[in-house]
Amino acid sequence: MIDTLLMPFSYGFMARSIWVGGSVGVVCALLSCFIILKGWSLLGDALSHAVVPGVAIAYWLGLPFVLGAFVSGLLAVLGIGVVRGNSALKGDAVIGVVFTAFFALGFLLISLNPSTISLTTILFGNLLGISSGDAWQLVAIAGGCIVIIALRWKDLLLYCFDEQHARALGFNVRYLNILLLAMMSLTAVAALQTVGAILVIAMLITPGATAYLLTDRFGHMLWIAPLVGGLTAMTGAYLSFFFDTSVGGLIVVLQTLVFLIAFMLAPRHGLLAHRRRWQQEASS
Amino acid sequence: MSRHNERPSDSGPAIVVDKVSVRYASGQWALENVSLTLESSSICALLGINGSGKSTLCKAIMGFLPPASGRVAIFKHAVRHAQRRNIMAYVPQVEEIDWDFPVSVYDVVMMGRQGRMGFLRIPARADRVAVETSLARVGIADLAKRQIGALSGGQKKRVFLARALAQESRIMVLDEPFTGVDATTENAIIDILKQLRDEGMTILVVTHNLSVVPEYCDTVAMINRNLIAFGKTEHVFTPANLAQAFGGVLRQFPLDLLAQEREPVQEHLP
Ligand SMILES: Nc1ncnc2c1ncn2[C@@H]1O[C@H](COP(=O)(O)OP(=O)(O)O)[C@@H](O)[C@H]1O
Ligand SMILES: [Mg+2]
């Protein structure tokens, strides 16, 4: 029994996918705290699709895919900014137009040269089959972003909570904006490799949303979310050894389960707490 | 409170708004050719109907909105310079804040100190003292641990006033601090504003509570996209100007004022 449970660790690719998945889960979860509070969920979804053409071109040219993802993510954000600033269109429409355009371009590039990277990898991720070079890039992204968040989270929090006040204090909000977007692009591409373009957005929202239900202190969210994100990603990768399923699907289903438990049981914001409060109010 | 960011160069008017026009991306002109000069150590009331551009003017002064033409000077320098020196505090309208944000009252007031902290933004003793003093000054020391959404309207205003106090700025811009608060809170806030003025602060306050304006405001500005009137309260706070600023919208108080001004003896009638 124990032997069976430990078996995944005796395979190099399994051990690797567990710790790569875990670190990607942690960094996505950290960013999700900022994304949900800034109201950038749609933008996160957009970015996770907009990095695809960059990834395709980078593989094509033999460059680190991180570089390609980063450039194309920033181009998409710039595009969104330009269209929004020069039209009366609503923000979500602009985001929708730009990100589908980038995603479509990515598809086109991949189908032109399918030998370098497959469409399935982009759409559904390939955590178990990840090359060790790619794994190191992901871990570097995760480590870099975790360090930046550890050092700058208070300024990023202030920026998300009250941008005007940040300006009044003399902070460079443009720099904070770019920092957050850049980290989003990087984690989006990391998550892309792990769970695929379609499910990236779950990694970038659900752990933060779960943490938000469980606490009303931002400092605590920054511990709860990565704990949830990291553990679910590692568990998902581990379980996929026994069940022949999509790793991405497994990870996101686990995250959703944790979210549902929080949604029911959270002390203040949960369904049961609300019901109890209604009953108390009704009886008093 | 000490004003350690004071400098010899900070003489002359605190805020100069020079022929400022502001246009939103939608094409709407919210301000046209507005000019004001606020001396330091004074309180100015900014009056006007809804949509007249009061908030827009506040934001242009704070440097949140770039003017399409004209310029704002803070102690003779560009606004950006004043921002970097951390000498301007802003108390936003309630609608501008996300009250579901997972931060406590204490956290928000501590944000007033963030510009003074080191690289890691770890509060020093002086920061904690400033936050506690500010909380006590606005009378919400007992609410420090509350999440900001779990507060009454008046308490919410006090939180952001406390944050501005903790910032120890030289200029304070308050957008509708009295809207939706009870008389106790209103009086408490007015008392604090008066004290701050006496300590040397320059204050611009957007308000709809006209009746108390002459009690604490040194100058009054009335706008309706354009400047209608600006000057010393006793010169500018007149029925004619109020009528022009508020048009037919004037009711309750201002009518009393109009009546009083025309027939001062009325006060003594039963
Ligand atoms: N972000 C915005 N985009 C476009 N128009 C705006 C925006 N904010 C305010 N306005 C318009 O500018 C005018 C002035 O608004 P505002 O300064 O908020 O007025 P007040 O604070 O006096 O009620 C109004 O007509 C308002 O509709
Ligand atoms: Mg307003």
Side-chain angles (χ1 to χ4, degrees):
Chain A
M1 175 70 185
I2 300 280
D3 284 349
T4 321
L5 289 180
L6 289 179
M7 202 151 70
F9 298 105
S10 58
Y11 293 87
F13 78 95
M14 274 314 297
R16 183 161 71 212
S17 55
I18 289 173
W19 58 258
V20 169
S23 38
V24 171
V26 166
V27 70
C28 285
L30 280 171
L31 271 172
S32 72
C33 296
F34 297 95
I35 292 172
I36 64 156
L37 290 172
K38 184 78 185 156
W40 274 4
S41 302
L42 184 62
L43 193 61
D45 198 21
L47 268 179
S48 64
H49 290 70
V51 298
V52 173
V55 174
I57 293 175
Y59 268 104
W60 218 350
L61 302 178
L63 295 170
F65 66 82
V66 171
L67 192 73
F70 188 66
V71 171
S72 91
L74 282 190
L75 281 179
V77 171
L78 272 177
I80 289 169
V82 169
V83 178
R84 194 188 260 178
N86 294 289
S87 76
L89 277 173
K90 294 247 187 311
D92 57 347
V94 177
I95 292 175
V97 169
V98 174
F99 100 66
T100 43
F102 271 72
F103 202 35
L105 181 67
F107 271 16
L108 214 64
L109 290 174
I110 291 169
S111 57
L112 282 178
N113 196 350
S115 59
T116 45
I117 184 171
S118 80
L119 213 51
T120 353
T121 305
I122 292 281
L123 287 180
F124 304 108
N126 186 12
L127 183 56
L128 298 188
I130 202 163
S131 76
S132 77
D134 286 359
W136 281 112
Q137 286 188 47
L138 295 196
V139 173
I141 292 177
C145 291
I146 289 169
V147 169
I148 290 173
I149 291 173
L151 294 177
R152 298 323 288 143
W153 71 272
K154 284 199 177 168
D155 285 5
L156 292 169
L157 170 65
L158 177 59
Y159 169 69
C160 291
F161 176 61
D162 191 346
E163 181 178 337
Q164 292 181 344
H165 180 62
R167 286 212 225 174
L169 295 181
F171 289 3
N172 187 343
V173 292
R174 193 169 302 161
Y175 151 79
L176 290 170
N177 179 289
I178 291 174
L179 185 65
L180 205 49
L181 288 172
M183 287 197 293
M184 269 166 80
S185 303
L186 289 176
T187 43
V189 73
L192 191 83
Q193 297 266 316
T194 342
V195 298
I198 298 172
L199 291 178
V200 167
I201 193 60
M203 302 273 284
L204 284 174
I205 293 178
T206 312
T210 308
Y212 178 80
L213 291 178
L214 292 173
T215 176
D216 47 25
R217 300 298 301 274
F218 187 79
H220 297 170
M221 276 178 72
L222 284 184
W223 289 106
I224 298 172
L227 204 69
V228 171
L231 285 180
T232 47
M234 290 170 89
T235 314
Y238 170 82
L239 288 180
S240 71
F241 182 82
F242 301 99
F243 309 99
D244 188 19
T245 53
S246 132
V247 191
L250 205 50
I251 292 174
V252 174
V253 165
L254 286 174
Q255 294 195 341
T256 310
L257 279 178
V258 179
F259 173 83
L260 283 175
I261 293 170
F263 178 64
M264 305 295 269
L265 303 179
R268 263 181 293 261
H269 304 294
L271 206 58
L272 290 183
H274 279 282
R275 176 123 341 133
R276 220 176 302 131
R277 222 165 295 146
W278 290 333
Q279 278 165 358
Q280 273 168 11
E281 272 162 30
S283 64
S284 65
Chain B
M1 243 172 260
S2 64
R3 306 248 162 269
H4 28 94
N5 36 17
E6 195 146 5
R7 288 205 195 155
S9 65
D10 291 350
S11 56
I15 303 176
V16 175
V17 177
D18 185 21
K19 302 199 198 73
V20 163
S21 301
V22 175
R23 194 184 140 158
Y24 284 104
S26 60
Q28 162 105 18
W29 285 95
L31 287 178
E32 281 184 73
N33 219 10
V34 171
S35 299
L36 308 169
T37 301
L38 305 194
E39 299 299 334
S40 53
S41 225
S42 72
I43 302 180
C44 177
L46 180 54
L47 312 178
I49 55 170
N50 288 330
S52 59
K54 302 181 297 295
S55 299
T56 306
L57 180 56
C58 292
K59 288 177 188 174
I61 290 174
M62 292 299 300
F64 303 153
L65 287 173
S69 64
R71 65 178 234 118
V72 176
I74 307 293
F75 292 116
K76 298 191 191 137
H77 291 286
V79 178
R80 188 180 279 276
H81 184 254
Q83 289 177 340
R84 273 201 295 268
R85 283 178 59 204
N86 194 1
I87 57 171
M88 292 198 293
Y90 177 65
V91 179
Q93 258 178 290
V94 178
E95 300 81 57
E96 291 185 43
I97 298 299
D98 176 2
W99 296 100
D100 294 326
F101 214 91
V103 284
S104 68
V105 169
Y106 189 91
D107 295 337
V108 170
V109 180
M110 189 57 93
M111 287 178 189
R113 305 291 301 175
Q114 202 154 324
R116 296 166 184 276
M117 298 176 191
F119 181 73
L120 289 177
R121 311 289 181 213
I122 294 171
R125 222 183 92 78
D127 298 316
R128 287 194 296 272
V129 170
V131 169
E132 274 148 31
T133 315
S134 306
L135 285 170
R137 194 165 177 186
V138 302
I140 52 168
D142 52 327
L143 301 175
K145 291 214 167 71
R146 285 262 185 99
Q147 191 269 332
I148 53 168
L151 299 171
S152 73
Q155 290 166 341
K156 286 177 176 170
K157 303 281 186 177
R158 289 173 194 244
V159 174
F160 283 81
L161 180 60
R163 182 179 77 177
L165 291 174
Q167 202 180 328
E168 295 184 358
S169 63
R170 308 208 49 220
I171 288 171
M172 194 181 286
V173 174
L174 302 97
D175 199 347
E176 303 205 14
F178 307 124
T179 305
V181 308
D182 55 21
T184 324
T185 302
E186 181 177 345
N187 290 331
I189 295 178
I190 289 177
D191 283 344
I192 291 173
L193 295 186
K194 285 189 200 160
Q195 289 164 17
L196 291 172
R197 172 198 41 206
D198 297 343
E199 291 166 20
M201 179 135 21
T202 310
I203 297 166
L204 179 68
V205 54
V206 176
T207 175
H208 291 292
N209 293 18
L210 301 180
S211 57
V212 285
V213 163
E215 272 176 37
Y216 69 99
C217 297
D218 307 288
T219 55
V220 172
M222 297 183 202
I223 59 171
N224 192 356
R225 187 141 59 133
N226 300 289
L227 187 70
I228 293 170
F230 170 69
K232 287 212 157 53
T233 309
E234 57 267 35
H235 300 149
V236 169
F237 198 68
T238 61
N241 283 335
L242 285 168
Q244 204 189 332
F246 291 92
V249 206
L250 268 187
R251 248 178 261 131
Q252 328 148 351
F253 150 75
L255 292 180
D256 302 347
L257 179 95
L258 303 188
Q260 272 178 26
E261 296 232 341
R262 259 183 238 119
E263 299 169 78
V265 276
Q266 248 187 4
E267 275 176 66
H268 307 293
L269 295 178

